[in-house]
Structure formats: structure tokens, C-alpha cells
Amino acid sequence: MSLKLYFHPLSSFSQKVLAALYENDTPFEPQVVNLFDEDSSAKFRRLWPIAKIPLLHDEAKDWSIPESSIIIEYLAQHYPGPTEFIPEDPELARQMRFRDRFFDLYLNVPMQKVVTDRLRPEGKRDAYGVEEAKTLLGTALGLLDQAMATKTWAMGDQFTMADCAAAPSLFYTNMVVPLAGRHKHATAYLDRLMKRPSFARVLKEAEPYFALIPK
Ligand SMILES: N[C@@H](CCC(=O)N[C@@H](CS)C(=O)NCC(=O)O)C(=O)O
């Protein structure tokens, strides 16, 4: 098989790429990386010294592609399928890339800040940084709620890379800043994302690991 995906089923950025792979039934060989395991982490660091998952390796070209958005762009270019992750129109593509950045930078990253702080040893926690992250999440959710008032997917009717980014970002954000009651359009969007077969499959595969999410 040409494509190997280095990932972990619980990792939000990995889930973004898994959703894209499942959308188009793209065949790939799963390579689970456990960054908490010294051996698994050391092996992965040799492939990608930045050591962030996911990473795609395409054996046909002997290329390694890091970064979730770049991986999805690569899949759209080299392994296209019925779901077009990048709109053909350059203006719509730019708008979609902004939304993809929005979900990664203003939901996924601050959500991770809140969750990973819980894994830090006592005395090494960053309460100020966590408060800042929660404020950013609140602002981003407010903007998203307005944006989703009249739309099915992030770009309207077409499911794109931005929705792949939105799905895990919103799913985990909902665990740290519950959406219900405060952000009704964002809540309805999350509900649609969770019912989308590609992301429903991602969540089903992550379920056995949910107990590892720090509370
Ligand atoms: N910008 C990267 C972010 C990837 C990322 O932060 N991955 C997390 C898992 S969801 C990770 O590898 N964290 C390990 C670490 O930061 O040491 C992307 O879009 O792929």
C-alpha cells in the first residue's frame, strides 16, 4: 500500500486527516504512534524530528508529508475522490483555507492547551495560559456560532477540508467549554459533523481510548 499514516486515534490533528481519508475511502496503512511511549516516540522522531502527529508517508514517491492541512491538500492533489476538500474556485479556496486555519489555531490549539495542562506535573501547570486559552475558545465559538447560523458546512453546502478541521476541534472543545445552551448553531454543526459517516467512524475508533483523556 502506498500511503502510511503515522497517527494516534485520540489525537485531534490525526482525526482531521483520518476524516479526510475516510471521506474518500482512500486506502492507507495505519501506523499508530504513542508519543507517551519512549520507544514508539524515538522511532517516530527519527522520521519527523518535530515529532508531531499526523505524518503521511507516500511510498510511491518516497515523500513524507507533515502538517494536517498539507496532508489533506496532498490527498486532494494526488489521491482525489468524490469529496473535494479544496474548492476549485481560487477565491472560495482562499476562504476555505481561512476557515481551516480558524479551526486549527483558535479552537484546536487552545483546546489542546487546556487539556494538556492537566497532564503537567503539580507545580508546573500554567493557570494563566489556560485562562487565556479558554478566553480565546469563547471568542472563537461566538464567531463560529454567528458564521454557522445559515450554513450546513463551513463553506455552505460543500464539505471541505475546513469541516475535517472543525470536527475534532469542536468535539474536544465541547469537552472543555460545553457548547449546549450558549452556542446553538455551533452545537447543531457539531451534531452534523458527528453524524457524518467519515467522522462517526473516527470517533468509533477513538472510543476505546477515551478513558485516557485527562479530566
Ligand atoms: N500543526 C500540526 C499540529 C499537530 C499536533 O499538534 N499534533 C499533536 C497531537 S494532536 C502532537 O503531536 N502533540 C505532541 C507534542 O506536541 O509533543 C498539524 O496540523 O498537524
Side-chain angles (χ1 to χ4, degrees):
M1 200 168 298
S2 184
L3 297 177
K4 258 189 198 169
L5 183 73
Y6 295 84
F7 76 106
H8 191 279
L10 266 191
S11 132
S12 51
F13 284 101
S14 301
Q15 293 184 352
K16 171 178 161 184
V17 168
L18 286 169
L21 287 161
Y22 294 155
E23 267 299 312
N24 280 338
D25 279 328
T26 309
F28 69 99
E29 192 182 309
Q31 298 281 325
V32 172
V33 177
N34 181 358
L35 292 171
F36 293 104
D37 175 84
E38 239 175 68
D39 189 45
S40 175
S41 174
K43 274 192 192 136
F44 182 62
R45 205 171 281 276
R46 283 198 284 279
L47 291 175
W48 177 225
I50 297 292
K52 300 241 185 219
I53 47 177
L55 176 79
L56 186 77
H57 185 80
D58 189 345
E59 289 186 340
K61 299 177 195 293
D62 196 20
W63 283 348
S64 286
I65 301 108
E67 290 295 319
S68 55
S69 301
I70 310 300
I71 295 172
I72 296 175
E73 295 243 9
Y74 182 84
L75 293 172
Q77 190 181 347
H78 296 278
Y79 298 87
T83 299
E84 278 185 33
F85 298 116
I86 324 287
E88 244 176 66
D89 178 275
E91 178 54 31
L92 292 178
R94 180 191 62 75
Q95 290 177 22
M96 188 285 296
R97 287 189 176 95
F98 163 68
R99 290 182 168 87
D100 172 73
R101 297 296 73 230
F102 183 90
F103 290 118
D104 276 13
L105 300 174
Y106 309 134
L107 287 177
N108 207 337
V109 169
M111 171 282 292
Q112 284 195 352
K113 172 71 185 169
V114 178
V115 174
T116 57
D117 196 75
R118 296 172 183 163
L119 294 170
R120 287 188 176 190
E122 214 52 68
K124 298 274 183 200
R125 301 220 167 117
D126 174 15
Y128 186 75
V130 167
E131 275 319 301
E132 275 186 329
K134 284 189 175 168
T135 302
L136 179 55
L137 286 173
T139 305
L141 286 174
L143 287 172
L144 176 68
D145 204 51
Q146 282 172 24
M148 293 312 296
T150 53
K151 287 191 292 187
T152 303
W153 304 116
M155 286 300 293
D157 293 335
Q158 185 185 346
F159 187 94
T160 64
M161 170 162 79
D163 300 295
C164 297
S169 303
L170 271 181
F171 177 76
Y172 283 115
T173 293
N174 189 36
M175 288 182 179
V176 295
V177 181
L179 306 184
R182 270 184 282 181
H183 305 287
K184 86 170 180 196
H185 304 298
T187 306
Y189 178 41
L190 173 60
D191 195 50
R192 285 192 290 281
L193 288 165
M194 288 173 68
K195 289 189 175 124
R196 182 92 180 175
S198 56
F199 190 59
R201 179 173 169 190
V202 170
L203 289 181
K204 196 167 187 320
E205 290 173 357
E207 218 174 85
Y209 301 88
F210 279 171
L212 296 174
I213 301 171
K215 302 268 166 3

